[in-house]
Amino acid sequence: MKMLLRGLKVWEVVERESTEGDKNDMATVLLFQSIPETMILQVGKLDTAKKVWDAIKTRHVGADRVREARLQTLITEFDRLKMKETDKIDDFVGKLSKISSKSTALGESMNEAKLVKKFLQGLPRKKFIHIVASLEQLLDLNTANFEDVVGRLKAYEERIAAEEEEETQDDQSKLMYSNSEPQHRDGGYRGRGRGGRYYNRGRKIIILGK
């Protein structure tokens, strides 16, 4: 909504609470179009776009005390978040981004350094310890780009997945080869003729009738 108001050159009347006719009216109309009818009834008597904006913000973000409580909950969730062994990089990044977006909406932006460090710390150590150690030595985590680090880990994840798939195929091939070998018992050959079964034991052939 903020970007829309900026794009239409009317954000200034919200930012500085101007009563300039056309711009104020346009900004107010755009705000009214973005909220449910029940809320329009509550803010319809406000005479500036700034007042409408603040009313919406208070309704959705809440008072400072409520906002702080929500932020604290998000911080706790952020600190506890770890990637599960069964998760993919994209799953974990999605959870981090979701918390970051909620925090920004509440007025507390998470810088890239914080996201990068949390991302690397939250990865399963057993699976990613080698690549994490390499990145920690190679990059300055205080200035590293979050998307760049994520891209490197995704490439590593795909490589590991390809190697595991190749190993699985090799194991299956070995198993199929093993199952296709003829089975012998007591060093001889067991078969069935027309008259019954026969066993080859050394030079003697014993024939058993039906």
Side-chain angles (χ1 to χ4, degrees):
M1 194 65 216
K2 186 175 181 180
M3 292 304 299
L4 176 61
L5 293 172
R6 280 182 172 176
L8 295 175
K9 311 301 181 184
V10 295
W11 171 247
E12 62 189 52
V13 300
V14 176
E15 194 173 31
R16 293 195 293 268
E17 193 170 11
S18 170
T19 56
E20 184 181 340
D22 292 341
K23 289 189 175 182
N24 184 68
D25 290 344
M26 179 179 288
T28 303
V29 169
L30 290 171
L31 289 170
F32 281 178
Q33 289 178 342
S34 71
I35 58 179
E37 184 177 353
T38 54
M39 194 170 184
I40 293 177
L41 297 176
Q42 297 174 19
V43 301
K45 294 182 179 180
L46 300 177
D47 59 355
T48 67
K50 167 68 172 174
K51 292 177 181 177
V52 175
W53 177 274
D54 289 343
I56 296 172
K57 186 176 180 181
T58 300
R59 172 73 176 270
H60 288 281
V61 177
D64 288 342
R65 187 174 299 177
V66 176
R67 184 178 66 86
E68 289 297 329
R70 291 178 178 173
L71 271 175
Q72 189 58 47
T73 300
L74 283 176
I75 291 172
T76 301
E77 183 181 352
F78 182 81
D79 290 339
R80 292 179 177 176
L81 187 63
K82 289 186 178 298
M83 178 176 165
K84 299 178 181 178
E85 292 286 348
T86 55
D87 282 349
K88 299 292 185 182
I89 293 292
D90 283 337
D91 299 327
F92 186 46
V93 171
K95 294 175 182 178
L96 285 175
S97 299
K98 185 177 181 180
I99 294 176
S100 177
S101 297
K102 287 182 177 180
S103 179
T104 300
L106 291 170
E108 189 73 28
S109 298
M110 293 184 180
N111 58 43
E112 285 203 79
K114 186 173 183 178
L115 287 173
V116 167
K117 292 176 183 178
K118 178 58 185 178
F119 174 61
L120 295 178
Q121 291 170 359
L123 295 172
R125 302 296 292 179
K126 183 178 180 181
K127 186 175 182 179
F128 294 99
I129 187 171
H130 298 298
I131 183 66
V132 169
S134 297
L135 290 177
E136 289 176 343
Q137 294 179 2
L138 179 65
L139 303 176
D140 180 355
L141 300 185
N142 292 316
T143 59
N145 180 273
F146 180 64
E147 294 298 332
D148 177 55
V149 174
V150 171
R152 291 171 185 260
L153 265 296
K154 287 183 64 175
Y156 180 80
E157 180 184 55
E158 292 171 0
R159 177 182 174 184
I160 294 299
E163 291 178 353
E164 290 177 349
E165 182 178 357
E166 185 177 346
E167 289 178 0
T168 300
Q169 291 176 350
D170 288 343
D171 291 340
Q172 291 177 347
S173 297
K174 291 177 181 178
L175 180 61
M176 292 176 62
Y177 177 77
S178 176
N179 290 337
S180 66
E181 290 182 337
Q183 301 296 319
H184 299 281
R185 181 178 295 177
D186 297 331
Y189 176 84
R190 179 176 180 178
R192 180 184 294 273
R194 293 183 178 179
R197 291 176 295 172
Y198 61 87
Y199 296 86
N200 181 2
R201 296 181 177 177
R203 295 183 178 179
K204 295 183 178 180
I205 297 178
I206 304 174
I207 300 177
L208 301 178
K210 292 184 179 179

